[in-house]
Amino acid sequence: MNLEQLRRHADLIPDLGCGGKTVRKELTLAASEVKHDRVIIDIAPYLGSTTAYIGLGANTSKHIVTVHSYDLWEASRDYVKKALKYHRMTLETGED
């Protein structure tokens, strides 16, 4: 896949309304400016939309950049409702 195909794929990843798609330009730009052999830590990525744009930006730099993505997310009743309403995803309370 080329970068444009990867970007279109990243656009398909659901976010919570102010996630990856909202700040995709900022995420890709910031990640593209990370120096060689450095690490980016993505905290609380939900379904990975921010991680996808960070990866795209890091990839455009041609530097070796490691991305660690951490999320201790667990589906609360509120998230179960939001996932169904906004993404038509059926989750169970407590699911991670």
Side-chain angles (χ1 to χ4, degrees):
M1 267 192 233
N2 64 35
L3 286 177
E4 181 56 30
Q5 290 170 318
L6 291 171
R7 188 199 57 76
R8 284 196 303 263
H9 186 71
D11 288 345
L12 297 175
I13 301 171
D15 61 22
L16 290 175
C18 57
K21 282 182 252 183
T22 305
V23 292
R24 65 180 163 220
K25 290 179 184 175
E26 292 85 352
L27 287 170
T28 54
L29 176 63
S32 73
E33 295 177 350
V34 173
K35 294 179 181 178
H36 182 75
D37 205 24
R38 300 296 169 102
V39 175
I40 298 172
I41 299 173
D42 186 14
I43 299 172
Y46 183 53
L47 297 175
S49 65
T50 54
T51 310
Y53 293 110
I54 289 169
L56 282 169
N59 194 24
T60 62
S61 73
K62 306 297 184 207
H63 293 160
I64 302 297
V65 176
T66 301
V67 178
H68 294 281
S69 183
Y70 297 98
D71 199 331
L72 300 177
W73 184 82
E74 189 174 290
S76 66
R77 281 184 281 164
D78 186 46
Y79 276 110
V80 169
K81 290 178 188 176
K82 287 179 182 180
L84 184 59
K85 179 179 178 179
Y86 296 111
H87 310 299
R88 298 184 190 147
M89 293 173 51
T90 304
L91 300 174
E92 299 292 327
T93 302
E95 188 174 3
D96 63 10

